Amino acid sequence: MRCALCLILIYGSLTCLQSQNSNWFAGARVAYQNTWILNSDDFDQGGELDYVATFKPAIGLILGYKLNSKLNLQTGISYSLQGQNYETAGNEDADYETELNYLKIPLLLSFRPKPDSKIGWIVQGGLQISLLSDAKSSRENFFGIYSSVLKDAKNYYVSTGIEFVAGLGAEYQTGSHAFRFMLQADYGLSDIEKTEKKPGLRSVSSNATIALPMLSYLYAF
């Protein structure tokens, strides 16, 4: 429901702007992400809980405004599949995982030092709201070592979070069209797990992703 509402708002904004010659631009993006759930207690488990490299996709829509020739403000909406895979003492038969899917709304500032060149570097930074859409886990009691059963875990995770976002890449411009190749990372600024659901003195867990890469298409109105 939240996703549909955001898409309607973005579509309405684009419809209003389409007939105007303005500084607005819009587009779409797709990313292949290396995702992590960082927790110091989990790292200390040794062979009972080994982190496994986890890769998942993200897709989204972009809406932005050019503040001047070098700076623009960018928002939009994206759907990000995240989580963490684990294994026990290198045993592939004991693989287990946590899956967390988010709806994300960023507010980013982009800087392009050479706006008149067709190809140029671009730097981005800002914050984003992260809304939990779905959560599943096959960890024992959701935060334990191992279980083979993947269960609904949404009640054990915080529904809303704030993340820091930073990116570096290149942009190719031709007329009203632009193509971006970015390496982008985001990091959660708060605990993603509900404190009252944690076992004992479990430490803070943070989401982190690195887009390797993120590809975007933009159209200027």
Side-chain angles (χ1 to χ4, degrees):
M1 184 67 180
R2 289 179 298 186
C3 181
L5 180 60
C6 291
L7 290 174
I8 291 171
L9 291 174
I10 291 175
Y11 177 78
S13 299
L14 296 181
T15 302
C16 292
L17 294 168
Q18 196 166 16
S19 61
Q20 304 177 21
N21 182 15
S22 69
N23 290 327
W24 291 91
F25 61 90
R29 73 180 186 95
V30 60
Y32 186 60
Q33 304 179 128
N34 180 208
T35 80
W36 297 85
I37 298 177
L38 304 176
N39 181 284
S40 60
D41 291 337
D42 291 347
F43 277 114
D44 292 340
Q45 293 294 331
E48 293 183 333
L49 191 153
D50 286 332
Y51 275 70
V52 177
T54 307
F55 296 91
K56 295 176 180 285
I59 58 173
L61 299 176
I62 298 170
L63 178 64
Y65 184 80
K66 296 178 183 178
L67 300 174
N68 56 47
S69 61
K70 295 183 178 181
L71 290 173
N72 67 65
L73 197 62
Q74 179 178 309
T75 184
I77 187 171
S78 64
Y79 186 65
S80 178
L81 277 63
Q82 296 179 205
Q84 184 66 61
N85 294 341
Y86 310 91
E87 65 182 13
T88 299
N91 181 3
E92 294 183 357
D93 293 330
D95 289 350
Y96 51 113
E97 62 185 323
T98 296
E99 298 178 356
L100 303 175
N101 300 331
Y102 289 91
L103 188 68
K104 298 188 174 185
I105 305 172
L107 184 60
L108 307 176
L109 190 65
S110 298
F111 175 66
R112 195 177 195 270
K114 295 183 178 180
D116 296 328
S117 61
K118 278 197 170 184
I119 300 178
W121 292 103
I122 186 167
V123 179
Q124 282 186 340
L127 299 173
Q128 68 185 4
I129 298 174
S130 184
L131 306 173
L132 183 64
S133 173
D134 188 37
K136 295 180 181 179
S137 179
S138 61
R139 295 183 63 170
E140 182 183 9
N141 295 323
F142 300 105
F143 303 127
I145 302 301
Y146 172 75
S147 170
S148 60
V149 181
L150 190 65
K151 297 173 289 186
D152 178 45
K154 193 172 182 179
N155 194 42
Y156 288 78
Y157 289 87
V158 176
S159 61
T160 305
I162 301 294
E163 298 176 339
F164 172 74
V165 184
L168 174 66
E171 182 178 77
Y172 172 74
Q173 292 181 342
T174 174
S176 298
H177 308 275
F179 301 87
R180 288 180 183 172
F181 179 95
M182 300 281 294
L183 299 180
Q184 181 171 293
D186 58 52
Y187 180 78
L189 302 179
S190 58
D191 196 348
I192 64 171
E193 299 169 357
K194 291 182 178 178
T195 302
E196 66 273 18
K197 299 288 187 178
K198 289 176 177 285
L201 298 176
R202 180 172 168 80
S203 61
V204 170
S205 288
S206 301
N207 276 328
T209 72
I210 304 173
L212 303 166
M214 182 179 74
L215 304 176
S216 303
Y217 164 74
L218 305 172
Y219 177 76
F221 294 94

